[in-house]
Amino acid sequence: MKNIHRIAVISDTHGLLRPEVFRVFTDVELIIHAGDVGRKSVLEKLSRLHPCKAVRGNIDSGELAATLPLLESLSIEGKRIVVVHDLAEANQKSTAPDIVICGHSHVPKIEYKGSVLCFNPGSAGPKRFSLPTCVGILTIQKDTTQACLIEL
């Protein structure tokens, strides 16, 4: 039997946790928040669903910022994952990841830079301009990785 890991990815909530997130994140084992959390209560609510890892974004300040790292590294099925808020920081602070999860731009994007998957779930918080409100799901197996965006 193959190990399949479903990871929920969210970013740029800016203090707003939409109810749709709870429906989308039911069948996952981990939630990753790529910064601009906005309020501690957002992480508390997400942590009630599943284990949650988060990084600090540029709007996170005070007590919340003090509890969040700028970069989080983890490994799932041998894949090295780096989580940062701003993609530019991944290039400066990490070495040879397989997957980079970021936020900041509010633009949902799945792209490869060489062999590195760069995954930005977009913004799940307040609507900005004409950009969609989105979250993502990362599915990781030993030999494959898939990322998908889900509009809320």
Side-chain angles (χ1 to χ4, degrees), residues 55-72:
V55 296
R56 181 181 339 148
N58 56 288
I59 70 141
D60 297 320
S61 60
E63 184 182 319
L64 177 61
T67 64
L68 297 174
L70 288 172
L71 180 140
E72 181 76 50

Side-chain angles (χ1 to χ4, degrees), residues 10 16 20 29 98 107 132:
I10 188 168
L16 173 64
E20 300 95 322
E29 64 189 68
D98 298 300
V107 178

